[in-house]
Amino acid sequence: MEALFTSTAVVALAEVGDKTQLLAILLATRFNRPVPIILGILVATLANHALAALLGASAAAFLDSPVFRYAIGLSFIAMAAWTLIPDKFEDDDAPKPRFGAFLTTLVAFFLVEMGDKTQVATIALGAQYHDIVAVTAGTTLGMMIANVPAIFLGHELLKRVDLAKVRKVAAGLFLVIGLWVLVQTAGWLS
């Protein structure tokens, strides 16, 4: 359950103000069809994050050593710094609607999520917890918690939420996880 809850919290916080959340708002305003957009986000996130969690868990199993665990801890700390940098999503980067709301969302979300901080976090969480199902379920739930309200509330939500504070909380969470992994690896905690 720790893997599920931690994955959900980390990604839900990291996703607020992220380029994929901005993409969700853009798609919602372009298509005005929330259900296919939500389903597209769900399927794209499940596929992308399952692969990321699998990569993280496989790498951790293959490279199970203190050096690798230190690298995982440091990657969480790097994610903390990266989270403090606001994402920008330019309207020119938005997908042109040619294939309908679901398919456009599915393809756009899958591609935009590649190399995104939530995908990198999913790889690190997969490496930390070695539980592909719980990490994928948690990170996908976190994405949905952040993106579904954005689809319905869009620009109004972004006007009312202080993204700088949300980024700081998410960065703090990444930092705490990273430090926890380092402390455990050093043997300071059992």
Side-chain angles (χ1 to χ4, degrees), residues 58-128:
S58 298
F62 182 70
L63 301 169
D64 192 19
S65 70
V67 172
F68 185 69
R69 286 190 294 276
Y70 281 121
I72 293 297
L74 292 173
S75 73
F76 275 109
I77 293 169
M79 287 297 302
W82 188 9
T83 300
L84 293 173
I85 302 167
D87 275 331
K88 302 260 188 284
F89 190 86
E90 303 298 326
D91 199 34
D92 296 341
D93 297 336
K96 305 301 179 226
R98 289 182 20 187
F99 300 107
F102 173 78
L103 192 55
T104 300
T105 302
L106 174 71
V107 171
F109 248 79
F110 187 85
L111 294 175
V112 170
E113 187 64 13
M114 291 295 202
D116 191 56
K117 63 184 159 236
T118 50
Q119 185 192 44
V120 174
T122 303
I123 293 169
L125 289 161
Q128 172 67 20

Coordinates of all heavy atoms in Angstrom, one line a residue, residues 58-128:
S58 N 12.9 -3.3 -13.2 CA 13.9 -4.2 -13.9 C 15.3 -3.7 -13.6 O 16.2 -4.5 -13.3 CB 13.6 -4.3 -15.4 OG 12.3 -4.8 -15.6
A59 N 15.5 -2.4 -13.7 CA 16.8 -1.9 -13.5 C 17.2 -2.1 -12.1 O 18.4 -2.4 -11.8 CB 16.8 -0.4 -13.9
A60 N 16.3 -1.9 -11.1 CA 16.6 -2.1 -9.7 C 17.0 -3.5 -9.4 O 17.9 -3.8 -8.7 CB 15.4 -1.6 -8.9
A61 N 16.2 -4.5 -10.0 CA 16.5 -5.9 -9.8 C 17.8 -6.2 -10.4 O 18.6 -7.0 -9.8 CB 15.4 -6.7 -10.4
F62 N 18.1 -5.7 -11.5 CA 19.4 -6.0 -12.2 C 20.6 -5.3 -11.5 O 21.7 -5.9 -11.5 CB 19.3 -5.5 -13.7 CG 20.5 -5.8 -14.5 CD1 20.8 -7.2 -14.8 CD2 21.4 -4.8 -14.9 CE1 21.9 -7.4 -15.6 CE2 22.5 -5.1 -15.7 CZ 22.8 -6.4 -16.0
L63 N 20.4 -4.1 -11.1 CA 21.4 -3.3 -10.5 C 21.3 -3.2 -9.0 O 21.7 -2.1 -8.4 CB 21.5 -2.0 -11.1 CG 21.7 -1.9 -12.6 CD1 21.4 -0.5 -13.2 CD2 23.1 -2.4 -13.0
D64 N 20.8 -4.2 -8.3 CA 20.5 -4.1 -6.9 C 21.8 -4.0 -6.1 O 22.5 -5.0 -5.8 CB 19.7 -5.3 -6.4 CG 19.2 -5.1 -5.0 OD1 19.1 -4.0 -4.5 OD2 18.8 -6.1 -4.3
S65 N 22.2 -2.8 -5.8 CA 23.5 -2.5 -5.1 C 23.3 -1.2 -4.3 O 22.5 -0.4 -4.7 CB 24.6 -2.5 -6.0 OG 24.6 -1.3 -6.8
P66 N 24.1 -1.0 -3.3 CA 24.1 0.3 -2.7 C 24.3 1.5 -3.6 O 23.7 2.5 -3.5 CB 25.2 0.2 -1.6 CG 25.3 -1.2 -1.3 CD 25.0 -1.9 -2.7
V67 N 25.2 1.3 -4.6 CA 25.5 2.4 -5.5 C 24.2 2.8 -6.3 O 23.9 4.0 -6.5 CB 26.6 2.0 -6.5 CG1 26.8 3.0 -7.6 CG2 27.9 1.8 -5.8
F68 N 23.5 1.8 -6.7 CA 22.2 2.0 -7.5 C 21.2 2.7 -6.6 O 20.5 3.6 -7.0 CB 21.7 0.7 -8.1 CG 20.5 0.9 -9.0 CD1 20.6 1.6 -10.2 CD2 19.2 0.5 -8.5 CE1 19.5 1.8 -11.0 CE2 18.1 0.7 -9.3 CZ 18.3 1.4 -10.6
R69 N 21.1 2.2 -5.3 CA 20.1 2.8 -4.4 C 20.5 4.3 -4.1 O 19.6 5.1 -4.0 CB 20.0 2.0 -3.1 CG 19.2 0.7 -3.4 CD 18.9 0.0 -2.1 NE 20.1 -0.5 -1.4 CZ 20.7 -1.7 -1.6 NH1 20.2 -2.5 -2.6 NH2 21.7 -2.1 -0.9
Y70 N 21.8 4.6 -4.0 CA 22.2 6.0 -3.8 C 21.8 6.8 -5.1 O 21.3 7.9 -5.0 CB 23.7 6.1 -3.6 CG 24.2 5.8 -2.2 CD1 25.1 4.8 -2.0 CD2 23.7 6.5 -1.1 CE1 25.5 4.5 -0.7 CE2 24.1 6.3 0.2 CZ 25.0 5.2 0.4 OH 25.4 5.0 1.7
A71 N 22.0 6.2 -6.3 CA 21.6 6.9 -7.5 C 20.1 7.1 -7.5 O 19.6 8.2 -7.9 CB 22.0 6.0 -8.7
I72 N 19.3 6.2 -7.0 CA 17.8 6.4 -6.9 C 17.5 7.5 -6.0 O 16.7 8.4 -6.3 CB 17.1 5.1 -6.5 CG1 17.2 4.0 -7.6 CG2 15.6 5.4 -6.1 CD1 16.6 4.4 -8.9
G73 N 18.1 7.5 -4.8 CA 17.9 8.6 -3.9 C 18.3 10.0 -4.4 O 17.6 11.0 -4.3
L74 N 19.4 10.0 -5.1 CA 19.8 11.3 -5.8 C 18.9 11.7 -6.9 O 18.7 12.9 -7.1 CB 21.3 11.2 -6.3 CG 22.3 11.1 -5.2 CD1 23.7 10.8 -5.8 CD2 22.4 12.3 -4.3
S75 N 18.3 10.7 -7.6 CA 17.4 11.0 -8.7 C 16.1 11.7 -8.1 O 15.6 12.6 -8.7 CB 17.0 9.8 -9.5 OG 16.2 8.9 -8.8
F76 N 15.7 11.2 -6.9 CA 14.5 11.9 -6.3 C 14.9 13.3 -5.9 O 14.1 14.2 -6.0 CB 14.1 11.1 -5.0 CG 13.1 10.0 -5.4 CD1 13.5 8.7 -5.3 CD2 11.8 10.2 -5.7 CE1 12.7 7.6 -5.5 CE2 10.9 9.2 -6.0 CZ 11.3 7.9 -5.9
I77 N 16.1 13.5 -5.4 CA 16.5 14.9 -5.0 C 16.6 15.8 -6.3 O 16.2 16.9 -6.3 CB 17.8 14.8 -4.2 CG1 17.6 14.1 -2.9 CG2 18.4 16.2 -4.1 CD1 18.8 13.8 -2.1
A78 N 17.1 15.2 -7.4 CA 17.1 16.0 -8.7 C 15.7 16.3 -9.1 O 15.5 17.4 -9.6 CB 17.9 15.2 -9.7
M79 N 14.8 15.3 -8.9 CA 13.4 15.6 -9.3 C 12.8 16.7 -8.4 O 12.0 17.5 -8.9 CB 12.5 14.3 -9.0 CG 12.8 13.2 -10.1 SD 12.3 13.7 -11.7 CE 10.6 14.1 -11.5
A80 N 13.3 16.8 -7.2 CA 12.8 18.0 -6.4 C 13.2 19.3 -7.0 O 12.4 20.2 -7.1 CB 13.4 17.8 -4.9
A81 N 14.5 19.4 -7.4 CA 14.9 20.6 -8.1 C 14.2 20.9 -9.4 O 13.8 22.0 -9.7 CB 16.4 20.5 -8.3
W82 N 14.0 19.8 -10.2 CA 13.3 19.9 -11.5 C 11.9 20.4 -11.3 O 11.3 21.2 -12.1 CB 13.4 18.6 -12.2 CG 12.9 18.6 -13.6 CD1 12.6 19.6 -14.4 CD2 12.7 17.4 -14.5 NE1 12.2 19.2 -15.7 CE2 12.3 17.9 -15.7 CE3 12.9 16.1 -14.2 CZ2 12.0 17.0 -16.7 CZ3 12.7 15.2 -15.3 CH2 12.2 15.6 -16.5
T83 N 11.2 19.9 -10.2 CA 9.8 20.2 -10.0 C 9.6 21.7 -9.7 O 8.6 22.3 -10.0 CB 9.3 19.4 -8.8 OG1 9.4 18.0 -9.1 CG2 7.9 19.7 -8.5
L84 N 10.6 22.4 -9.2 CA 10.5 23.8 -8.9 C 10.5 24.7 -10.2 O 10.2 25.8 -10.2 CB 11.7 24.3 -8.0 CG 11.6 23.7 -6.6 CD1 12.9 24.0 -5.8 CD2 10.4 24.2 -5.9
I85 N 10.9 24.1 -11.3 CA 11.0 24.8 -12.6 C 9.6 24.7 -13.3 O 9.2 23.6 -13.6 CB 12.1 24.3 -13.5 CG1 13.4 24.4 -12.8 CG2 12.1 25.0 -14.9 CD1 14.5 23.6 -13.5
P86 N 8.9 25.8 -13.5 CA 7.6 25.7 -14.1 C 7.6 25.2 -15.6 O 8.6 25.5 -16.3 CB 7.0 27.1 -14.1 CG 8.1 28.0 -13.6 CD 9.3 27.1 -13.2
D87 N 6.7 24.4 -15.9 CA 6.5 23.9 -17.3 C 5.8 24.9 -18.1 O 4.9 25.7 -17.6 CB 5.8 22.6 -17.4 CG 6.7 21.4 -17.2 OD1 7.9 21.5 -17.5 OD2 6.1 20.4 -16.7
K88 N 6.1 25.0 -19.4 CA 5.4 25.9 -20.4 C 4.9 24.9 -21.4 O 5.6 24.0 -21.9 CB 6.4 26.9 -21.0 CG 7.1 27.8 -19.9 CD 6.4 29.1 -19.9 CE 7.1 30.1 -19.0 NZ 7.1 29.9 -17.6
F89 N 3.7 25.2 -21.9 CA 3.2 24.5 -23.0 C 2.7 25.5 -24.0 O 1.7 26.2 -23.7 CB 2.0 23.5 -22.6 CG 1.6 22.6 -23.7 CD1 2.3 21.4 -23.8 CD2 0.6 22.9 -24.5 CE1 1.9 20.5 -24.8 CE2 0.2 22.0 -25.5 CZ 0.9 20.8 -25.7
E90 N 3.3 25.6 -25.1 CA 3.0 26.6 -26.1 C 1.8 26.1 -27.0 O 1.7 24.9 -27.3 CB 4.2 26.9 -27.0 CG 5.4 27.4 -26.3 CD 5.2 28.7 -25.5 OE1 4.4 29.5 -26.0 OE2 5.7 28.8 -24.5
D91 N 0.9 27.0 -27.3 CA -0.2 26.6 -28.2 C 0.2 26.0 -29.5 O -0.5 25.1 -30.0 CB -1.2 27.8 -28.4 CG -2.5 27.4 -28.8 OD1 -3.0 26.3 -28.4 OD2 -3.1 28.1 -29.6
D92 N 1.4 26.4 -30.0 CA 1.9 25.9 -31.2 C 2.3 24.4 -31.1 O 2.3 23.7 -32.1 CB 3.1 26.7 -31.7 CG 2.8 28.1 -32.1 OD1 1.6 28.4 -32.3 OD2 3.7 28.9 -32.1
D93 N 2.6 24.0 -29.9 CA 3.0 22.6 -29.6 C 1.8 21.7 -29.5 O 1.9 20.4 -29.5 CB 3.8 22.5 -28.3 CG 5.1 23.2 -28.3 OD1 5.6 23.5 -29.4 OD2 5.6 23.6 -27.2
A94 N 0.6 22.2 -29.4 CA -0.6 21.4 -29.2 C -0.9 20.6 -30.5 O -0.6 21.0 -31.6 CB -1.8 22.4 -29.0
P95 N -1.4 19.4 -30.2 CA -1.7 18.5 -31.4 C -2.9 19.1 -32.2 O -3.8 19.7 -31.6 CB -2.1 17.2 -30.7 CG -2.6 17.6 -29.4 CD -1.7 18.8 -29.0
K96 N -2.8 19.0 -33.5 CA -3.9 19.4 -34.3 C -4.9 18.3 -34.4 O -4.7 17.2 -34.7 CB -3.4 19.7 -35.8 CG -2.2 20.7 -35.8 CD -2.6 22.0 -35.2 CE -1.4 22.9 -35.2 NZ -1.1 23.7 -34.0
P97 N -6.2 18.7 -34.1 CA -7.2 17.6 -34.0 C -7.6 17.1 -35.3 O -8.4 17.7 -36.1 CB -8.4 18.4 -33.3 CG -8.1 19.8 -33.5 CD -6.7 20.0 -33.7
R98 N -7.1 15.9 -35.7 CA -7.4 15.2 -36.9 C -8.1 13.9 -36.7 O -8.8 13.4 -37.6 CB -6.2 15.0 -37.8 CG -5.6 16.2 -38.3 CD -4.4 16.0 -39.2 NE -4.2 14.7 -39.7 CZ -3.2 14.2 -40.3 NH1 -2.2 15.0 -40.5 NH2 -3.1 13.0 -40.8
F99 N -7.9 13.3 -35.5 CA -8.4 11.9 -35.3 C -9.4 11.8 -34.2 O -9.6 10.7 -33.7 CB -7.2 11.0 -35.0 CG -6.2 11.0 -36.2 CD1 -5.0 11.6 -36.0 CD2 -6.5 10.4 -37.4 CE1 -4.1 11.6 -37.0 CE2 -5.6 10.3 -38.4 CZ -4.3 11.0 -38.2
G100 N -10.0 12.9 -33.8 CA -11.0 12.8 -32.7 C -10.4 13.0 -31.4 O -9.1 12.9 -31.2
A101 N -11.2 13.2 -30.4 CA -10.7 13.6 -29.0 C -10.0 12.4 -28.4 O -8.9 12.6 -27.8 CB -11.9 14.0 -28.2
F102 N -10.5 11.2 -28.4 CA -9.8 10.1 -27.8 C -8.4 9.8 -28.3 O -7.4 9.7 -27.6 CB -10.7 8.8 -27.8 CG -10.0 7.6 -27.2 CD1 -9.9 7.4 -25.9 CD2 -9.4 6.7 -28.1 CE1 -9.2 6.3 -25.3 CE2 -8.7 5.6 -27.6 CZ -8.6 5.4 -26.2
L103 N -8.4 9.6 -29.6 CA -7.1 9.2 -30.3 C -6.1 10.3 -30.2 O -4.9 10.1 -29.9 CB -7.3 8.8 -31.7 CG -6.2 8.1 -32.4 CD1 -5.7 6.9 -31.6 CD2 -6.5 7.6 -33.8
T104 N -6.5 11.5 -30.4 CA -5.6 12.7 -30.3 C -5.0 12.8 -28.9 O -3.8 13.0 -28.7 CB -6.3 14.0 -30.7 OG1 -6.8 13.9 -32.0 CG2 -5.4 15.2 -30.5
T105 N -5.9 12.6 -27.9 CA -5.5 12.7 -26.5 C -4.5 11.5 -26.2 O -3.5 11.7 -25.5 CB -6.7 12.6 -25.5 OG1 -7.5 13.7 -25.8 CG2 -6.2 12.7 -24.1
L106 N -4.9 10.3 -26.6 CA -4.1 9.1 -26.3 C -2.7 9.3 -26.9 O -1.7 9.1 -26.1 CB -4.7 7.9 -27.0 CG -3.9 6.6 -26.9 CD1 -3.9 6.1 -25.5 CD2 -4.5 5.6 -27.8
V107 N -2.5 9.7 -28.1 CA -1.2 9.8 -28.8 C -0.5 11.0 -28.2 O 0.7 10.9 -27.8 CB -1.4 9.9 -30.3 CG1 0.0 10.3 -30.9 CG2 -1.9 8.7 -30.9
A108 N -1.2 12.1 -28.0 CA -0.5 13.3 -27.5 C 0.0 13.1 -26.1 O 1.2 13.4 -25.8 CB -1.4 14.5 -27.5
F109 N -0.8 12.5 -25.2 CA -0.4 12.3 -23.8 C 0.7 11.3 -23.7 O 1.7 11.5 -23.0 CB -1.6 11.8 -23.0 CG -2.0 12.8 -22.0 CD1 -2.8 13.9 -22.4 CD2 -1.6 12.8 -20.7 CE1 -3.2 14.9 -21.5 CE2 -2.0 13.7 -19.7 CZ -2.8 14.8 -20.1
F110 N 0.7 10.2 -24.5 CA 1.7 9.2 -24.4 C 3.0 9.9 -24.9 O 4.1 9.7 -24.2 CB 1.4 8.0 -25.3 CG 2.4 6.9 -25.2 CD1 2.2 6.0 -24.2 CD2 3.5 6.8 -26.0 CE1 3.1 4.9 -24.0 CE2 4.4 5.8 -25.9 CZ 4.2 4.8 -24.9
L111 N 3.0 10.6 -25.9 CA 4.3 11.3 -26.4 C 4.8 12.4 -25.5 O 6.0 12.5 -25.3 CB 4.1 11.8 -27.9 CG 3.8 10.7 -28.9 CD1 3.5 11.3 -30.3 CD2 5.0 9.7 -29.0
V112 N 3.9 13.2 -25.1 CA 4.3 14.4 -24.2 C 4.8 13.9 -22.9 O 5.7 14.5 -22.3 CB 3.1 15.4 -24.1 CG1 3.5 16.4 -23.0 CG2 2.9 16.1 -25.4
E113 N 4.3 12.7 -22.4 CA 4.7 12.2 -21.1 C 6.1 11.6 -21.2 O 6.8 11.4 -20.2 CB 3.7 11.1 -20.7 CG 3.9 10.6 -19.3 CD 3.8 11.6 -18.2 OE1 3.3 12.7 -18.4 OE2 4.2 11.3 -17.0
M114 N 6.6 11.3 -22.4 CA 8.0 10.7 -22.6 C 9.0 11.7 -22.0 O 9.1 12.8 -22.5 CB 8.3 10.4 -24.0 CG 7.5 9.3 -24.6 SD 7.9 7.8 -23.7 CE 7.4 6.6 -24.9
G115 N 9.8 11.3 -21.1 CA 10.8 12.1 -20.5 C 10.3 13.2 -19.6 O 11.1 14.0 -19.0
D116 N 9.0 13.2 -19.3 CA 8.4 14.2 -18.4 C 8.8 13.8 -17.0 O 9.1 12.7 -16.7 CB 6.9 14.2 -18.6 CG 6.2 15.3 -17.9 OD1 6.6 16.5 -18.2 OD2 5.3 15.1 -17.1
K117 N 8.7 14.8 -16.1 CA 9.1 14.5 -14.7 C 8.3 13.4 -14.0 O 8.7 12.7 -13.2 CB 9.2 15.8 -13.9 CG 7.9 16.5 -13.7 CD 8.2 17.8 -12.9 CE 7.1 18.8 -13.2 NZ 7.5 20.1 -13.7
T118 N 7.0 13.3 -14.4 CA 6.1 12.3 -13.8 C 6.5 10.9 -14.3 O 6.5 9.9 -13.6 CB 4.6 12.6 -14.0 OG1 4.4 12.8 -15.4 CG2 4.2 13.7 -13.2
Q119 N 7.0 10.8 -15.6 CA 7.5 9.5 -16.1 C 8.8 9.2 -15.4 O 9.0 8.0 -15.0 CB 7.7 9.6 -17.6 CG 8.1 8.2 -18.1 CD 8.6 8.2 -19.5 OE1 9.3 9.1 -19.9 NE2 8.1 7.2 -20.3
V120 N 9.7 10.1 -15.2 CA 11.0 9.9 -14.6 C 10.7 9.5 -13.1 O 11.3 8.6 -12.6 CB 11.9 11.1 -14.6 CG1 13.2 10.9 -13.8 CG2 12.3 11.4 -16.1
A121 N 9.7 10.1 -12.5 CA 9.4 9.8 -11.1 C 8.8 8.4 -11.0 O 9.1 7.6 -10.1 CB 8.3 10.8 -10.6
T122 N 8.1 8.0 -12.1 CA 7.5 6.6 -12.1 C 8.6 5.6 -12.2 O 8.6 4.5 -11.6 CB 6.5 6.5 -13.3 OG1 5.5 7.4 -13.1 CG2 5.9 5.1 -13.3
I123 N 9.6 5.9 -13.0 CA 10.8 5.0 -13.1 C 11.5 4.9 -11.8 O 11.8 3.7 -11.3 CB 11.8 5.5 -14.2 CG1 11.2 5.4 -15.6 CG2 13.1 4.7 -14.1 CD1 12.0 6.1 -16.7
A124 N 11.7 6.0 -11.1 CA 12.3 6.0 -9.8 C 11.5 5.2 -8.8 O 12.0 4.5 -7.9 CB 12.6 7.4 -9.3
L125 N 10.2 5.4 -8.8 CA 9.3 4.7 -7.9 C 9.3 3.2 -8.1 O 9.2 2.4 -7.2 CB 7.9 5.3 -8.0 CG 7.7 6.7 -7.4 CD1 6.4 7.4 -7.9 CD2 7.7 6.7 -5.9
G126 N 9.3 2.8 -9.4 CA 9.4 1.4 -9.8 C 10.7 0.8 -9.2 O 10.7 -0.3 -8.7
A127 N 11.8 1.6 -9.3 CA 13.0 1.1 -8.8 C 13.0 1.0 -7.3 O 13.6 0.1 -6.7 CB 14.2 2.0 -9.3
Q128 N 12.4 1.9 -6.7 CA 12.3 2.0 -5.2 C 11.5 0.9 -4.6 O 11.8 0.2 -3.7 CB 11.8 3.3 -4.7 CG 11.5 3.4 -3.2 CD 12.8 3.3 -2.4 OE1 13.9 3.6 -2.8 NE2 12.6 3.0 -1.1

